[in-house]
Amino acid sequence: MKDTYILGIESSCDETSASIVKNGREEISTVIATQMDIHKVYGGVVPEIASRNHVENITMVIEETLSKANMKLEDIDAIGVTHGPGLIGSLLIGLQAAKTLSFLYDKPLIPVHHIAGHIYANRLVDEFNFPLIALVISGGHTDLIYMAGDYSFKKIGGTLDDAVGEAYDKVAKIMGLDYPGGPIIDELSKKGEDTYDLPIPLDDDSNNFSFSGIKSAVVNLVHNEKQRGNIIHKENLARSFQERVIHILTKKTMRALKENNISTLLLAGGVSANSALRERFTELCEKENINLLIPPLKYCTDNATMIATAAYYAYQKGITSDLLLNAKATISLEKEGIE
Ligand code: KG4
Ligand code: ZN
């Protein structure tokens, strides 16, 4: 069978990335231009600045991806691009580049949902055994997704307010730590103990999550300790926060697997880079005989390799778009899939 090479383009937040993936499982070349240091001073991503940097980076990133692969656009079979969800100004830059190349080189254009990308990052390391459950944990999402087959997504639970990565970043900010806070809290936790009395977030019978309460609890705690002239033990606070978050994520995910009689779990999104979370899920899944897929660290945070990979499976299901494709700040993952 003829090989299929897909050029993926991702620009939904603060990473400009392009990647070429062969047959939906083999990474040929990837380039990621990160703006993390630019946004750090503001304590979060500034949309206007992100868009401007995407404009500066996009051509170079695509050219470098092709040159690293020793390929030309003529060698590419199709172009996959993130069309949402994300920052609208950022998305538009990657999308415009993809549409232009699709038109100029007469290549099919494949719209990819950013979260489908995070899920399919796992396909670069292993086969998918359906049905499975994906726990999507990123800066913008905390979702439990049921997949009956390739490119079929059914949401069975999700956050009612903040996403888990967002909670990590906000808690880090309150503690005076840098952006993004997730990796910093992860590191601090290793040196700390669970000493602070924080609430377990939404510990009920549903598959839903809520992280705004624990975030407010940290705000109040830091505020009160400051007023009393007490010093916050950052390692212990990081550990206490992380323990609650991991407790609820693992508890509800393991229960959802059991209730739906599913034996494959995959983790997806930036927060799946968390070392304690990876360890805890590995232990639990071993105990419960669940086949666990976790993306390697380099595929956890935003990259175009996952977009090119997801695009391959979307393409196989006949998902393509004309040049009227528009970027959307929010889109449902369920509607992107095939029933
Ligand atoms: O998937 P991602 O790169 O972007 C979105 O689609 O949102 O996820 C970024 C999020 C940030 O909130 C960041 O703090 C979090 O992932 N993150 C982590 C870790 N590494 C990244 N959270 C906890 N522990 C980590 N090691
Ligand atoms: Zn992401």
Side-chain angles (χ1 to χ4, degrees):
M1 218 170 78
K2 188 189 163 295
D3 292 325
T4 304
Y5 291 89
I6 299 209
L7 170 68
I9 297 174
E10 155 68 34
S11 69
S12 65
C13 192
D14 58 342
E15 260 94 33
T16 323
S17 180
S19 178
I20 297 166
V21 171
K22 180 179 166 185
N23 299 333
R25 57 178 180 273
E26 193 185 324
E27 178 183 4
I28 304 296
S29 72
T30 301
V31 175
I32 306 176
T34 178
Q35 307 174 16
M36 213 178 269
D37 287 340
I38 299 170
H39 297 279
K40 214 172 229 171
V41 286
Y42 304 102
V45 177
V46 183
E48 261 309 305
I49 298 177
S51 317
R52 258 180 272 152
N53 278 283
H54 284 306
V55 173
E56 279 178 24
N57 293 336
I58 191 79
T59 314
M60 184 188 71
V61 164
I62 295 172
E63 277 174 359
E64 211 177 309
T65 305
L66 286 160
S67 105
K68 266 173 71 181
N70 208 7
M71 289 175 82
K72 295 196 286 294
L73 272 154
E74 287 83 352
D75 307 324
I76 298 293
D77 294 288
I79 299 169
V81 62
T82 310
H83 69 129
L87 301 171
I88 196 75
S90 291
L91 286 163
L92 281 169
I93 314 302
L95 187 67
Q96 195 55 46
K99 280 164 48 168
T100 307
L101 296 177
S102 157
F103 176 67
L104 281 176
Y105 292 87
D106 195 20
K107 304 289 177 188
L109 180 67
I110 308 161
V112 178
H113 191 289
H114 183 75
I115 295 305
H118 276 301
I119 290 174
Y120 273 91
N122 285 286
R123 196 61 188 75
L124 289 152
V125 283
D126 215 336
E127 302 273 320
F128 283 5
N129 290 315
F130 298 108
L132 61 80
I133 283 181
L135 173 65
V136 180
I137 37 181
S138 71
H141 290 260
T142 309
D143 292 326
L144 278 168
I145 307 288
Y146 173 91
M147 291 179 74
D150 261 321
Y151 241 75
S152 155
F153 310 102
K154 186 168 165 239
K155 186 170 161 179
I156 55 167
T159 183
L160 304 175
D161 40 58
D162 291 358
V164 60
E166 192 183 350
Y168 262 101
D169 295 338
K170 285 180 180 166
V171 162
K173 199 169 180 179
I174 300 155
M175 290 167 66
L177 306 171
D178 267 350
Y179 172 84
I184 303 171
I185 292 188
D186 189 4
E187 275 311 304
L188 283 176
S189 298
K190 290 178 190 162
K191 295 173 240 147
E193 283 176 38
D194 181 2
T195 55
Y196 285 99
D197 184 20
L198 295 174
I200 297 178
L202 195 65
D203 194 7
D204 65 3
D205 291 338
S206 76
N207 284 331
N208 292 327
F209 301 98
S210 164
F211 296 103
S212 71
I214 189 164
K215 176 194 68 190
S216 304
V218 175
V219 174
N220 292 337
L221 192 146
V222 171
H223 187 73
N224 291 341
E225 292 294 83
K226 260 189 196 155
Q227 279 197 331
R228 292 193 193 110
N230 294 338
I231 289 169
I232 292 284
H233 192 296
K234 287 190 177 169
E235 289 82 0
N236 287 357
L237 184 54
R239 178 66 182 263
S240 307
F241 166 77
Q242 183 160 286
E243 282 296 323
R244 302 298 173 282
V245 168
I246 294 178
H247 172 82
I248 204 66
L249 286 174
T250 49
K251 180 176 173 180
K252 292 202 167 181
T253 305
M254 297 311 287
R255 192 174 63 203
L257 286 160
K258 204 169 243 174
E259 278 175 7
N260 291 281
N261 205 12
I262 305 277
S263 54
T264 298
L265 168 67
L266 64 84
L267 305 184
V271 182
S272 58
N274 187 274
S275 55
L277 182 106
R278 293 165 85 94
E279 260 171 43
R280 205 74 57 85
F281 268 115
T282 305
E283 279 164 23
L284 286 168
C285 288
E286 250 171 44
K287 213 168 106 203
E288 303 289 333
N289 234 347
I290 300 285
N291 166 31
L292 175 67
L293 277 70
I294 314 182
L297 286 178
K298 65 171 179 170
Y299 299 135
C300 285
T301 43
D302 292 348
N303 62 83
T305 323
M306 66 185 199
I307 300 303
T309 307
Y312 175 83
Y313 296 92
Y315 193 37
Q316 297 226 311
K317 297 274 171 186
I319 300 173
T320 55
S321 172
D322 60 22
L323 294 173
L324 293 175
L325 181 66
N326 210 347
K328 293 188 197 76
T330 51
I331 18 171
S332 142
L333 178 61
E334 290 182 320
K335 291 201 184 110
E336 292 285 294
I338 301 291
E339 290 292 311

